[in-house]
Amino acid sequence: MRAYRLLTGEDDSAFCHKVSEALARGWVLHGDPAYAYDAGSGRMRCAQAVVKDVEGAYAPDIKLGDL
């Protein structure tokens, strides 16, 4: 099965580390990153989709971060 995650966070080094950790764990970038201004916090927010091929079938209780 192909698993999909959308990583999100503030535009800072913590977000970059989140994406880097996913890549180190075998996830692959999927599409371009997205950026948006969060008027509530006054900060930029980022999103990056990642995918990973894993064994087994999809189930709604899969913890994607553990794959």
Side-chain angles (χ1 to χ4, degrees), residues 1 3-6 25 27 58 61-67:
M1 122 175 149
Y4 171 91
R5 292 176 66 195
L6 181 64
R25 295 183 65 181
W27 292 85
Y58 171 76
D61 60 342
I62 291 174
K63 296 193 184 257
L64 297 171
D66 292 340
L67 296 177

Side-chain angles (χ1 to χ4, degrees), residues 15-50:
F15 177 75
C16 295
H17 285 285
K18 185 187 294 189
V19 174
S20 295
E21 179 184 6
L23 296 174
R25 295 183 65 181
W27 292 85
V28 177
L29 298 177
H30 182 74
D32 294 328
Y35 299 92
Y37 181 70
D38 179 354
S41 68
R43 298 180 183 251
M44 292 298 292
R45 306 260 319 152
C46 302
Q48 175 63 60
V50 292

